[in-house]
Amino acid sequence: MKNKSLALKLLELRQSHDLTQKQLCESLNIGRSTYSYFETGSRIPDLETLLLIARYYRVSLDELVTDSIPKKQQKGTDTDFSEIQIIHHLKSKNIPIDFVLELTKADFDFLRNYKDLTDENRAELQYLMSYKLRKQVK
């Protein structure tokens, strides 16, 4: 079993279920920092944890740990290579990978829409967010 292959599957499964690491870890009763190591490929979960994760997502253990990709996810591109490119890009921009791993699909959709805004609309949205954050603290 390749660490990167399993790490990518764990990341893809979590994002496809629109979960943060915190939400998933609370459901599985796993420490978030430990799970973060699984998604970065730094550690491999033990068999008991793999079974727990497979049951949670309702996938077979074989599907979770082998290099096979479900047909609906195959795109004809090298996922491992693109994931490595993304990690290098994040590091070059000084964006913590753990921060990105916490983002949900809704967060990514928001960011994609933000990028499509004009400079004027971005400035207006930033002002509104700053205002809302100040009001929220009080």
Side-chain angles (χ1 to χ4, degrees):
M1 167 183 12
K2 294 180 186 176
N3 289 7
K4 274 295 182 200
S5 178
L6 176 61
L8 290 173
K9 284 189 182 184
L10 293 174
L11 175 63
E12 289 170 356
L13 280 168
R14 182 176 59 76
Q15 288 180 341
S16 71
H17 286 80
D18 201 24
L19 295 167
T20 64
Q21 283 185 350
K22 182 179 179 183
Q23 291 168 326
L24 176 64
C25 293
E26 286 173 356
S27 296
L28 298 177
N29 198 25
I30 297 174
R32 199 204 62 77
S33 61
T34 299
Y35 185 81
S36 177
Y37 287 126
F38 301 157
E39 281 193 5
T40 60
S42 301
R43 291 188 189 163
I44 299 175
D46 60 23
L47 182 58
E48 185 178 326
T49 305
L50 286 171
L51 287 169
L52 184 66
I53 294 168
R55 285 185 192 127
Y56 181 84
Y57 289 122
R58 295 187 178 128
V59 298
S60 69
L61 187 58
D62 183 54
E63 184 180 339
L64 185 63
V65 299
T66 63
D67 287 336
S68 66
I69 299 171
K71 291 187 189 283
K72 65 181 182 179
Q73 291 182 359
Q74 290 178 351
K75 295 181 181 174
T77 59
D78 186 1
T79 306
D80 288 336
F81 181 70
S82 63
E83 182 66 22
I84 290 169
Q85 285 181 316
I86 291 168
I87 290 171
H88 286 309
H89 178 72
L90 293 172
K91 285 182 179 179
S92 73
K93 301 285 186 184
N94 295 319
I95 301 172
I97 294 172
D98 285 349
F99 172 78
V100 175
L101 295 176
E102 283 293 313
L103 298 174
T104 65
K105 182 181 180 316
D107 296 329
F108 281 108
D109 290 343
F110 177 84
L111 293 170
R112 185 177 301 113
N113 290 333
Y114 177 83
K115 285 186 68 172
D116 290 339
L117 293 174
T118 64
D119 290 341
E120 183 179 324
N121 286 336
R122 282 185 193 172
E124 186 178 333
L125 183 57
Q126 289 170 350
Y127 175 80
L128 179 62
M129 285 175 46
S130 295
Y131 173 78
K132 290 289 189 179
L133 286 169
R134 284 191 309 271
K135 295 288 275 182
Q136 180 176 303
V137 173
K138 295 180 181 180

